[in-house]
C-alpha cells in the first residue's frame, strides 16, 4: 500500500522487515494451499524481490531466481542461488557454467512451499543512474549464459523490449521451463 511504501522510505530497517515478511507470507500461503487442496500438495516456487531507494537496491529472495545489476562494467548477480550446485561453485568444486549444465542444478536448498523453515536472504547494494536491474527465473539463466543476458540487457532500448528479447532468446534456446523476467532501468 502507499502508506507502507512511505514508511519504508523513512526507515531502512522497515525495508528489510517488509521484504522478508513478504517472502515468509508467500511461503505460508503456498504451504496452506498445499494443505487445503491435494493437487497443490508439494508445489513450490522461488521468489526474488527488489526495492530501490536512495541509490540502493534492497533485495530479498528464496531459491534460485536471481537479481542482477547490469551496466557498462558488466553483469553482476547480487543474490546467491539457494541450490546444491551454487554451494559447489562457492566451494570451488565447479564453475558457474558447469553448474548451469549440471543435472543437480534444480536441487534447491530453499524454496517457497516446502515443509521446512526457510530463511529469506536480504541484501543491500549500490544502485546508480544508468544501472539496470534484472529479476529473472531459472527459465532464463538455464537457457542463456550471463554473457548472452548481458549483451541483450545492455542495449539502449526500453525495459519491455529487453524482457521480450530475453524471453524470445530463452525459448529459442529450448525454453525447457517457464521464463519470468523483470527489468528496471535506473534514472
Amino acid at each position: 500500500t502507499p502508506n507502507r511504501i512511505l514508511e519504508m522510505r523513512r526507515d531502512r530497517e522497515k525495508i528489510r522487515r517488509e521484504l522478508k515478511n513478504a517472502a515468509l507470507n508467500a511461503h505460508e500461503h503456498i504451504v496452506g494451499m498445499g494443505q487445503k487442496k491435494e493437487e497443490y500438495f508439494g508445489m513450490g516456487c522461488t521468489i526474488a524481490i527488489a526495492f530501490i531507494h536512495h541509490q540502493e537496491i534492497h533485495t530479498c529472495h528464496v531459491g534460485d531466481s536471481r537479481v542482477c545489476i547490469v551496466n557498462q562494467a558488466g553483469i553482476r548477480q547480487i543474490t546467491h542461488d539457494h541450490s546444491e550446485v551454487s554451494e559447489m561453485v562457492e566451494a570451488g568444486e565447479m564453475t558457474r557454467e558447469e553448474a548451469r549444465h549440471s543435472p543437480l542444478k534444480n536441487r534447491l536448498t530453499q524454496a517457497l512451499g516446502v515443509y521446512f523453515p526457510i530463511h529469506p536472504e536480504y541484501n543491500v547494494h549500490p544502485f546508480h543512474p544508468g544501472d539496470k536491474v534484472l529479476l529473472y527465473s531459472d527459465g532464463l539463466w538455464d537457457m542463456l549464459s550471463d554473457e548472452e543476458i548481458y549483451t541483450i540487457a545492455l542495449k539502449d532500448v526500453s525495459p519491455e523490449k529487453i524482457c521480450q528479447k530475453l524471453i524470445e532468446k530463452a525459448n529459442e534456446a529450448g525454453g525447457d521451463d517457464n521464463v519470468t523476467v523483470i527489468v528496471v532501468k535506473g534514472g
Side-chain angles (χ1 to χ4, degrees):
T1 64
N3 287 340
R4 235 184 199 157
I5 291 173
L6 285 174
E7 289 175 24
M8 291 168 69
R9 289 182 174 159
R10 288 187 206 119
D11 181 359
R12 195 170 193 242
E13 177 59 23
K14 180 89 171 160
I15 296 170
R16 184 190 67 77
R17 281 193 313 269
E18 288 290 333
L19 296 184
K20 286 186 116 177
N21 283 339
L24 290 168
N25 289 339
H27 172 66
E28 290 173 15
H29 183 74
I30 294 167
V31 168
M33 288 174 63
Q35 291 171 342
K36 289 178 186 165
K37 291 192 172 189
E38 187 177 318
E39 64 267 24
Y40 295 157
F41 182 79
M43 71 177 174
C45 66
T46 65
I47 189 171
I49 308 167
F51 185 84
I52 300 169
H53 182 58
H54 286 311
Q55 296 185 331
E56 292 181 325
I57 180 166
H58 302 254
T59 64
C60 185
H61 78 286
V62 175
D64 61 357
S65 286
R66 296 177 176 175
V67 180
C68 289
I69 294 177
V70 173
N71 55 34
Q72 292 297 326
I75 183 170
R76 183 170 52 106
Q77 182 178 339
I78 59 174
T79 53
H80 301 94
D81 294 348
H82 298 141
S83 67
E84 289 184 18
V85 294
S86 179
E87 292 174 7
M88 294 171 79
V89 169
E90 288 177 22
E93 297 171 8
M94 70 171 53
T95 67
R96 281 178 59 92
E97 192 60 23
E98 289 170 335
R100 194 166 78 86
H101 297 290
S102 171
L104 303 175
K105 68 185 172 199
N106 297 115
R107 289 198 183 163
L108 299 179
T109 56
Q110 288 197 67
L112 301 185
V114 296
Y115 291 96
F116 52 84
I118 62 164
H119 305 284
E121 184 177 327
Y122 170 82
N123 292 294
V124 180
H125 294 274
F127 183 69
H128 304 289
D131 285 354
K132 292 176 185 165
V133 175
L134 279 68
L135 293 88
Y136 52 94
S137 66
D138 61 334
L140 181 70
W141 64 255
D142 194 22
M143 295 289 109
L144 302 178
S145 68
D146 286 351
E147 294 78 25
E148 292 169 306
I149 294 169
Y150 175 70
T151 300
I152 294 167
L154 194 60
K155 294 183 189 287
D156 191 21
V157 296
S158 71
E160 293 84 5
K161 289 194 184 297
I162 293 169
C163 288
Q164 290 168 353
K165 190 65 168 176
L166 288 168
I167 292 168
E168 175 187 307
K169 287 294 186 184
N171 286 330
E172 286 174 9
D176 293 337
D177 200 349
N178 61 342
V179 182
T180 303
V181 183
I182 297 171
V183 177
V184 178
K185 185 176 180 181

